[in-house]
Amino acid sequence: MAASPGFPWKRRPKMPMTNKRQQRLDVLTAGDNVYWQAGVLAAGMDEVGRGPLAGCVMTACVVMPPEPLIEWVDDSKKLSEKRREMVYEDIMRHALFVGIGRAEPEEIDAVNILQATRSAMRRAAKGCPAQVYLLDAMDNLGLPGVEVSIIHGDALSYSIAAASIVAKVTRDREMREMDLLYPQYGFASNKGYGTKAHTDALRLYGPCPIHRKSFIANFV
C-alpha cells in the first residue's frame, strides 16, 4: 500500500543552527564519520512497530551522505510528529538509498515478532549498495556487508536515526490510513498500540483484519 501524503504543514524559514543542535549532530555523526572519511558506504537500519497490537512492523535501510547534514535528524522518539514529517521529507530528498521492509500481522503471528522483524530488515536492505550496515541492537541478519550492532543506535548514529524517522513516518502514515477503514479503534492516534481506548474497543468490537492475533488474546 502506498504511503499517504504527509500533513500539509507550512515549513518555517530556516534559522541558524543552535549550539545545542550542533552538539547533538556532533554526537550522532561521530561514528558515521569514520565510514564517511574512509569512503565506505554505510547504511543505517532501524525498525518501528514491534510492540503494537495491530499493524505491521516496519523497517528502513537508509544511506545518508556526509553533506548536507540535516539539522533535526535524531532518534524518532525524540521528535514531535510535525518535526518527524518535515525531517522525513529532507531525508528522502538527500538520501543515497532508502529501502523499506515490512512484516504483516499474519507473519508476526506465525513466526513471532523478533523473527518477523529480522525478515523485514533483510527486505529493507534488498538492493542496498552499502558495504557496512549499522544496526540498532540487531545482529547476524545475513546482510551482504559488515554488520555493526549499536545499542541505542537510533540515539547514537546519524544514519540509524535517519532510518528510525523513515520507518516511523512510513508506518504512522499507514496507520492513519487504517483509521479510515477501521475508525472504531482509534488507529490515527494510538498507531495500533495498546492504549485503554484501543483495548476497550477490542473488547467491544472484537479484532479487525490488521490485529495481531498472538498479541490480543487477553483483550478479546
Side-chain angles (χ1 to χ4, degrees), residues 114-197:
L114 176 59
Q115 295 308 316
T117 300
R118 291 170 65 84
S119 294
M121 295 193 84
R122 287 189 285 268
R123 291 166 192 147
K126 187 175 181 180
C128 180
Q131 299 154 282
V132 173
Y133 293 86
L134 307 177
L135 310 176
D136 188 6
M138 283 276 188
D139 57 15
N140 298 318
L141 292 176
L143 302 176
V146 176
E147 298 179 21
V148 179
S149 180
I150 304 173
I151 304 299
H152 302 306
D154 50 3
L156 296 174
S157 164
Y158 179 84
S159 298
I160 296 177
S164 79
I165 292 168
V166 170
K168 175 67 173 168
V169 170
T170 302
R171 188 179 187 279
D172 283 0
R173 289 181 179 184
E174 180 168 293
M175 293 307 291
R176 291 197 293 270
E177 287 185 349
M178 292 299 100
D179 186 71
L180 300 176
L181 295 176
Y182 312 109
Q184 64 268 41
Y185 302 102
F187 290 146
S189 59
N190 63 48
K191 306 302 187 292
Y193 284 88
T195 63
K196 184 179 186 303

Side-chain angles (χ1 to χ4, degrees), residues 2-24:
S4 59
F7 292 128
W9 289 309
K10 185 175 181 181
R11 185 184 291 270
R12 294 179 180 178
K14 187 173 178 61
M15 303 296 290
M17 192 182 306
T18 65
N19 288 338
K20 184 176 181 180
R21 283 310 304 168
Q22 183 62 62
Q23 290 168 4
R24 181 69 187 126

Side-chain angles (χ1 to χ4, degrees), residues 79-90:
L79 304 177
S80 68
E81 186 172 37
K82 178 178 179 180
R83 180 76 70 184
R84 282 195 303 266
E85 287 277 347
M86 291 180 174
V87 178
Y88 169 89
E89 298 298 338
D90 287 337

